Amino acid sequence: MPGSKLGYFNSVLTDKGIPLAATITVFDQGTATPSTIYEDAGGVTPLANPFSTDAIGRFQFYAATGKYDVQVSGAGITTYKIQNVSLSDICNKPERVRFTGYTDKPAAGLFDAGCLIFFDDGSSGYIGCICTVGGAPGTWKYFGAIEA
């Protein structure tokens, strides 16, 4: 149904930060039901589900406010899910992206899936990390490998 939709943007990277092309499938949270997703924020153009990332692993989709599980699969990838992706007005969630106070993955605190942390320095060897499974402290994956 046309109307304002919220976007989710992400990239598929190896544990060393190298981009990978992949297949993305979006499910209603906790189910095997594929979600209705769109190419645009207006909800006018439906997006096939599953769909492919671009050649360097980037992907995006738009959907109604809610919670989703995003499955990543493809050649050379052990299939995994980014669980409990919450599409909501992030203006009310300033903690979703953090730019200071971290030099590595958090060891404590409560985080939602999709939270991004950009590190203060490059001592970890990465630009930052993303929470793939919400919790205390959740499950985190590095992104943006820094070349030696």
Side-chain angles (χ1 to χ4, degrees), residues 84-118:
N84 302 317
V85 171
S86 180
L87 295 186
S88 62
D89 183 357
I90 63 171
C91 292
N92 293 326
K93 292 189 168 193
E95 72 279 10
R96 296 283 300 203
V97 179
R98 298 184 182 179
F99 292 96
T100 60
Y102 292 91
T103 57
D104 208 338
K105 295 176 183 177
L110 181 61
F111 298 90
D112 290 335
C115 287
L116 291 172
I117 293 177
F118 290 87

Side-chain angles (χ1 to χ4, degrees), residues 14-141:
T14 68
D15 59 353
K16 302 226 185 287
I18 299 168
L20 288 174
T23 299
I24 305 299
T25 309
V26 182
F27 297 98
D28 296 343
Q29 179 192 9
T31 74
T33 304
S35 302
T36 301
I37 56 176
Y38 300 90
E39 291 183 15
D40 58 286
V44 174
T45 308
L47 179 62
N49 191 9
F51 63 98
S52 297
T53 66
D54 67 11
I56 56 173
R58 297 177 299 188
F59 68 93
Q60 67 182 33
F61 65 87
Y62 295 86
T65 298
K67 290 197 173 191
Y68 301 90
D69 294 333
V70 179
Q71 180 176 286
V72 179
S73 61
I77 298 172
T78 300
T79 300
Y80 66 93
K81 282 187 180 178
I82 304 169
Q83 297 177 317
N84 302 317
V85 171
S86 180
L87 295 186
S88 62
D89 183 357
I90 63 171
C91 292
N92 293 326
K93 292 189 168 193
E95 72 279 10
R96 296 283 300 203
V97 179
R98 298 184 182 179
F99 292 96
T100 60
Y102 292 91
T103 57
D104 208 338
K105 295 176 183 177
L110 181 61
F111 298 90
D112 290 335
C115 287
L116 291 172
I117 293 177
F118 290 87
F119 300 143
D120 288 343
D121 61 30
S123 62
S124 70
Y126 295 91
I127 293 170
C129 59
I130 183 169
C131 184
T132 57
V133 179
T139 301
W140 293 85
K141 294 191 183 265

